[in-house]
Amino acid sequence: MIPIDSYAPCDTYRAYKVNHKLILGLTESLSDDQLHWKPAGYNNSIGFNLWHIARWSDNLIADILKELPELDIDLGDSREIWEQDALGEKWGLPPVLYPGGTGLNDEAADGLVFPSKEEMLAYMRKTFTRTEEFVEKIDARYPASAPITDEELYKKLTDIRWNLYYYLMHHCRHLGMMEALKGLLTGKGSAAA
């Protein structure tokens, strides 16, 4: 039998919910101008960070659903919400952007123009909800406490859980960036000593 360690070393579902709540709380009080503000010499706004983490999550869940249908995790349409809602076209963003703008040079990232806060937060809420639903469903279908004897399934679940945990850490890093930007902009971040 394969050892039971195909789960992240914490309650990933709860951690995502807390992280998502912190991100939404940080941004909800900002105006559109504040969301898109960038300090001189810096090319990423809070809005860019929001878009970036929403696209990463959206892409991860869609990739898992498309590549591993045998896991039988039903979230409806397996395509990215980005694709389902044709957001790239609606928002006028270049069609060749990798999920979340990964690989963009500084000038290209600086030139991206994002829509209103409400449109961005609507997309973010959808991706956050879908990610949370996915984590909840995979944990219910494949509980970490249940022995997994199939080596191939074990590898898939280990990879999925690691990616979910890694993306959570990625979200946390960007939350820190957004807190720093909000602190520079308003004189007060959401984290205080």
Side-chain angles (χ1 to χ4, degrees), residues 111-175:
L112 295 176
V113 178
F114 294 103
S116 71
K117 177 180 93 167
E118 288 312 311
E119 287 181 81
M120 292 189 70
L121 289 181
Y123 173 57
M124 175 160 276
R125 285 184 189 105
K126 283 183 177 181
T127 64
F128 282 2
T129 298
R130 190 176 197 203
T131 301
E132 291 168 12
E133 287 175 6
F134 177 82
V135 173
E136 188 174 38
K137 286 184 176 189
I138 199 160
D139 285 349
R141 183 153 178 79
Y142 304 100
S145 60
I148 299 171
T149 57
D150 180 316
E151 286 188 40
E152 187 177 332
L153 177 60
Y154 174 81
K155 169 105 173 73
K156 289 175 185 175
L157 292 174
T158 300
D159 288 348
I160 289 168
R161 288 186 168 123
W162 168 248
N163 277 293
L164 288 167
Y165 189 66
Y166 177 81
Y167 277 51
L168 177 61
M169 290 187 298
H170 177 256
H171 277 46
C172 292
R173 291 175 63 207
H174 282 279
L175 174 58

Side-chain angles (χ1 to χ4, degrees), residues 17-154:
K17 287 188 77 71
V18 168
N19 185 264
H20 291 162
K21 183 178 178 182
L22 289 170
I23 292 168
L24 290 169
L26 176 133
T27 57
E28 286 174 340
S29 65
L30 298 176
S31 68
D32 282 356
D33 287 342
Q34 289 173 320
L35 193 73
H36 301 300
W37 173 84
K38 297 175 253 186
Y42 191 70
N43 60 7
N44 291 346
S45 63
I46 292 172
F48 178 92
N49 283 276
L50 292 175
W51 169 77
H52 176 75
I53 60 177
R55 289 287 289 124
W56 263 52
S57 289
D58 196 7
N59 181 256
L60 174 64
I61 300 306
D63 279 355
I64 294 169
L65 295 174
K66 284 185 228 172
E67 292 175 23
L68 302 169
E70 68 273 14
L71 295 177
D72 197 29
I73 306 295
D74 183 18
L75 292 177
D77 192 333
S78 64
R79 295 175 302 150
E80 291 180 40
I81 294 164
W82 184 259
E83 184 182 347
Q84 292 175 40
D85 295 349
L87 293 177
E89 294 84 17
K90 286 180 186 173
W91 294 0
L93 294 175
V96 294
L97 289 176
Y98 292 109
T102 303
L104 289 177
N105 64 34
D106 289 346
E107 294 77 30
D110 192 39
L112 295 176
V113 178
F114 294 103
S116 71
K117 177 180 93 167
E118 288 312 311
E119 287 181 81
M120 292 189 70
L121 289 181
Y123 173 57
M124 175 160 276
R125 285 184 189 105
K126 283 183 177 181
T127 64
F128 282 2
T129 298
R130 190 176 197 203
T131 301
E132 291 168 12
E133 287 175 6
F134 177 82
V135 173
E136 188 174 38
K137 286 184 176 189
I138 199 160
D139 285 349
R141 183 153 178 79
Y142 304 100
S145 60
I148 299 171
T149 57
D150 180 316
E151 286 188 40
E152 187 177 332
L153 177 60
Y154 174 81

